């Protein structure tokens, strides 16, 4: 048994993987035979991930605020607290906050054989982001 006390450090989302200020708290960390990786992710208004994929897919569950997500080639969807989204393995996508609200989600996935949670692509441009439905 391992207890990790509240007070372990919140980390900032790296600029190469995110646009805007994003903060991550570890919820579950892979170890031994467990491949479960879970994080509580706080997106500040306008912040979002870069385009990316997950080798074994990913579930996000929105807990607060108002968010956006998009699969490559599809429309930008508005997501709200209680909404659950599954991204298929290898599906190119991004997720983040709307321009004027925070968005917090729990993110859950299984890492691959090498321990990789994601493969990162290019940033979501301001032009791509501006195509979101008006939520103001
Ligand atoms: Mn993702």
């Amino acid at each position: 048994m391992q207890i990790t006390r509240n007070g372990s450090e919140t980390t900032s989302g790296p600029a190469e993987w995110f646009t805007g200020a994003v903060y991550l708290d570890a919820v579950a960390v892979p170890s031994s035979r467990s491949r479960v990786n879970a994080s509580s992710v706080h997106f500040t208004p306008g912040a979002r991930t870069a385009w990316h994929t997950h080798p074994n897919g990913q579930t996000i569950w929105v807990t607060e605020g108002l968010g956006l997500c998009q699969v490559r080639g599809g429309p930008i969807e508005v997501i709200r607290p209680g909404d659950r989204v599954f991204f298929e393995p290898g599906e190119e996508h991004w997720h983040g906050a709307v321009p004027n609200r925070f968005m917090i989600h729990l993110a859950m996935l299984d890492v691959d054989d090498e321990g990789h949670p994601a493969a990162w692509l290019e940033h979501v441009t301001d032009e791509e982001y501006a195509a979101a439905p008006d939520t103001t």
Side-chain angles (χ1 to χ4, degrees), residues 49 52 54 58 60 87 93 95:
T49 69
H52 63 285
H54 302 286
Q58 178 187 47
I60 61 173
F87 301 104
H93 70 282
H95 29 112

Side-chain angles (χ1 to χ4, degrees), residues 22-77:
V22 178
Y23 298 94
L24 301 102
D25 291 296
V27 174
V29 177
S31 67
S32 183
R33 290 171 60 174
S34 173
R35 294 188 178 196
V36 177
N37 175 312
S39 303
S40 175
V41 188
H42 289 59
F43 295 86
T44 58
R48 67 266 189 184
T49 69
W51 288 98
H52 63 285
T53 61
H54 302 286
N56 293 313
Q58 178 187 47
T59 293
I60 61 173
W61 190 62
V62 180
T63 57
E64 286 185 50
L66 203 54
L68 302 170
C69 64
Q70 183 182 24
V71 167
R72 186 87 74 181
I76 299 177
E77 300 280 355

